[in-house]
Each structure stands twice: as structure tokens, then as C-alpha cells.
Amino acid sequence: MNTNLTIKKIDNINDFKLGYTLKQKLTDLEWRIQSKKFSELFAQISEDTIKGIAISWTSPFHPYAKYIDVIANDSSYELMNHLLAATAKHDKIILSCWDHELEKIQLLKQFQFKLFRKTYIETYEISLLLKQLEQEQSTQTLIPLLEILKEPTLEQNLFELLKYNYEQTHLDNPAKDVPWQTWKGILLDDTPDFNLSFVAVEENKVMAYIFLHPVSQDHYEIGWVGENNPTNLLQILKQQLIQLQRQGVKTVEFEIDTTNHMAWQFAALLQLEKKKSWNSYYLETK
């Protein structure tokens, strides 16, 4: 470690200078630092210039975990030690990074962090996906979210299933237990397309769902994906892509976690094994 460097806990990053390289690396965290949405902020300082940052924060929706990140050219090990020493009462400490951030991954291995999830975030041309889905034939009854919200029994069934599916795919980092009405609010706050978010219904019971979210006139995101029993979700997706194409939408973005076996049905279609991943690691504290 450079003997001219000291590590101290700070409240305001603007009281110091930032090296150019560090400033570039802090792009994704700058909003959190400037808005003070953090629990702890440690700075690696040489004279009046910050050379490295270690930061932690929490999520009220995932109350059992403490989230951290370390951005430094030097002495990442010492910064990590400060974060771990200052740990509050959480079951797990979580750090996420891209699979090509080899130095950070090596640091995590030094502290015995374990990989528990890979996330793939990719954009695709709708026309190319539909060519791959030509053989898929839908026999399901698909109802738009707008109509589901008009049927109290189906509405409750849908959001209780969404709650259950989310909890089952986040066992490594449990969510706060909240009623299904809260899950409804979370989804609606995420501005879904009420007409193109489809719910598969059989014998007045929700069997599966895929929610779509508009980003721009020609681009959509695939949002929440779930099922009650094993369901061919590709058939639902195909019908949604056909409707999007008719409306002039060109591309769709997927965010797929390896912990979500339901959305993982899309892995082969999307060729995820060839894509970069956002890797999440945890360290148990209890």
C-alpha cells in the first residue's frame, strides 16, 4: 500500500479532488454519492485527492442484505476491510460487477465471496426473434393486464403469483414480506403496457404472465415473467412480439437472471451463453 494514502470515512465527496480515472469509474455510483443514498463512504486519500472509494447502502425491499462496491486503482483490499469491519447487522453482504472485471472478482475471492447469480441484459431486433419463433403455435387464452385488473379474483390471483415467484427466485437475498396489493403497486409504478402485457388464464386461474414496458416509440423492455405451472412462455412472448411489430416497435430488451428458472426459458432463444453477464456475489455474515 502507498504510505502516502490514508483511508477515512467521509460524508461529502465534493470536499476533495477526484482523479480522472476514478471519476470515470464512478459514473454508475455518482448519483448515489451525490444524493447521499449510502450508509458508509470510505475514501482513499492522498493529500486532497481521492484515489479510491468504498461504499455501502441498503434496500428496504431486501432488508437482510448490505450492498457494497469498491472502486480503486490501489489498495482495494484495505478499503474492503473497512467496509467489512463497519458491517451492520445483515445476513449477507452483496457486491455485483461485470464478468470482465477480473481484478474485482479476484478481490471478492480473497474475502470468500460466493457467486450466486448472473444477470444478462441484452437488446434484440424483434424481426430476428420472430424468425426464430416461427414454429411456436399458441393455444393459450391470453388476457391483457387491463382486463385482468377489472376482475378482482384474477387480479388477486395474478399478484399473489407474482409475489410468490419473486420470493422463490430471490431465496439468496430474501425480499421483505409485503401483501399482494404492494406488489400490484410496484408493477403499476413501473408503467407497464396495459394492453400488451399478457396473462395466460386457464379455468379462471392465472397460469403465466409476461409484462411489457415501453421505453420509446420503437423500443420496449420485457419486464416481469412468471408462471404457475410449467408453461411454454415462448408462445406468449411470440404473440407479444407480433403485436409490438405491428405497432412499429423495432427492438426489445431482456433482463434475465440465472436464479429465475421461468425467464431462463428464453436463454437459448437469446443465446445468453455468448453474452456478457452482471455477476452478483455474497458473503454470509452469520
Side-chain angles (χ1 to χ4, degrees):
M1 180 176 176
N2 188 331
T3 55
N4 293 324
L5 291 174
T6 59
I7 296 176
K8 62 172 65 175
K9 191 173 183 179
I10 64 172
D11 294 318
N12 191 349
I13 199 172
N14 298 321
D15 293 336
F16 304 88
K17 297 177 182 177
L18 284 179
Y20 175 78
T21 302
L22 179 64
K23 191 171 184 177
Q24 294 298 108
K25 292 181 177 180
L26 282 177
T27 302
D28 293 337
L29 283 172
E30 186 174 7
W31 73 271
R32 182 177 295 281
I33 294 173
Q34 296 297 348
S35 61
K36 297 189 183 300
K37 302 291 186 181
F38 58 83
S39 302
E40 302 138 347
L41 182 63
F42 295 97
Q44 192 182 67
I45 300 171
S46 177
E47 297 179 349
D48 60 348
T49 301
I50 295 177
K51 301 293 186 180
I53 289 289
I55 186 172
S56 73
W57 64 94
T58 58
S59 166
F61 198 62
H62 288 275
Y64 307 107
K66 170 183 173 178
Y67 299 85
I68 67 169
D69 204 353
V70 177
I71 310 292
N73 299 322
D74 224 354
S75 309
S76 296
Y77 190 91
E78 287 77 10
L79 280 166
M80 179 70 84
N81 268 327
H82 276 69
L83 277 180
L84 299 186
T87 298
K89 294 181 179 179
H90 293 97
D91 293 341
K92 293 182 177 71
I93 302 172
I94 293 177
L95 188 150
S96 299
C97 64
W98 290 109
D99 58 4
H100 62 260
E101 296 184 76
L102 301 182
E103 290 184 5
K104 188 171 288 188
I105 292 173
Q106 185 58 38
L107 174 67
L108 292 169
K109 290 180 178 179
Q110 286 181 274
F111 285 90
Q112 306 302 309
F113 278 74
K114 298 177 182 178
L115 175 66
F116 73 96
R117 182 178 65 228
K118 291 185 177 183
T119 301
Y120 297 85
I121 306 169
E122 297 288 339
T123 296
Y124 298 83
E125 296 282 340
I126 290 177
S127 58
L128 296 179
L129 292 178
L130 284 174
K131 286 182 180 179
Q132 294 177 257
L133 293 169
E134 283 181 344
Q135 302 305 313
E136 294 291 343
Q137 300 296 324
S138 178
T139 58
Q140 300 158 316
T141 300
L142 302 179
I143 301 178
L145 175 60
L146 182 64
E147 298 304 317
I148 295 291
L149 295 176
K150 298 176 182 178
E151 299 288 341
T153 300
L154 286 176
E155 177 187 69
Q156 181 173 348
N157 189 200
L158 170 63
F159 291 109
E160 286 180 342
L161 179 60
L162 188 151
K163 165 183 163 67
Y164 175 78
N165 284 337
Y166 187 91
E167 291 171 348
Q168 292 303 302
T169 57
H170 288 77
L171 297 177
D172 288 308
N173 184 20
K176 184 179 180 181
D177 186 19
V178 295
W180 68 264
Q181 292 90 342
T182 300
W183 286 96
K184 175 185 174 183
I186 292 171
L187 171 69
L188 298 186
D189 286 345
D190 206 17
T191 59
D193 186 312
F194 289 93
N195 293 307
L196 296 184
S197 294
F198 288 167
V199 180
V201 176
E202 184 177 306
E203 296 181 354
N204 206 38
K205 185 175 182 180
V206 171
M207 304 306 294
Y209 54 85
I210 301 178
F211 298 128
L212 300 186
H213 304 267
V215 177
S216 65
Q217 187 174 353
D218 57 5
H219 179 68
Y220 264 61
E221 289 181 353
I222 307 296
W224 305 81
V225 174
E227 62 186 8
N228 187 356
N229 293 315
T231 303
N232 187 342
L233 296 172
L234 290 172
Q235 294 178 355
I236 302 174
L237 177 65
K238 179 182 177 180
Q239 297 306 311
Q240 292 175 306
L241 294 178
I242 289 172
Q243 295 301 321
L244 287 173
Q245 189 177 61
R246 288 174 178 169
Q247 293 188 14
V249 180
K250 305 297 185 184
T251 57
V252 286
E253 179 181 303
F254 293 78
E255 181 174 330
I256 308 292
D257 294 332
T258 52
T259 53
N260 187 338
H261 68 277
M262 296 164 291
W264 196 250
Q265 282 192 42
F266 303 149
L269 172 71
L270 306 179
Q271 299 182 322
L272 294 184
E273 74 281 357
K274 299 178 181 179
K275 309 298 184 181
K276 66 181 180 179
S277 61
W278 177 252
N279 294 354
S280 295
Y281 297 80
Y282 71 76
L283 176 68
E284 293 184 319
T285 61
K286 294 183 180 180

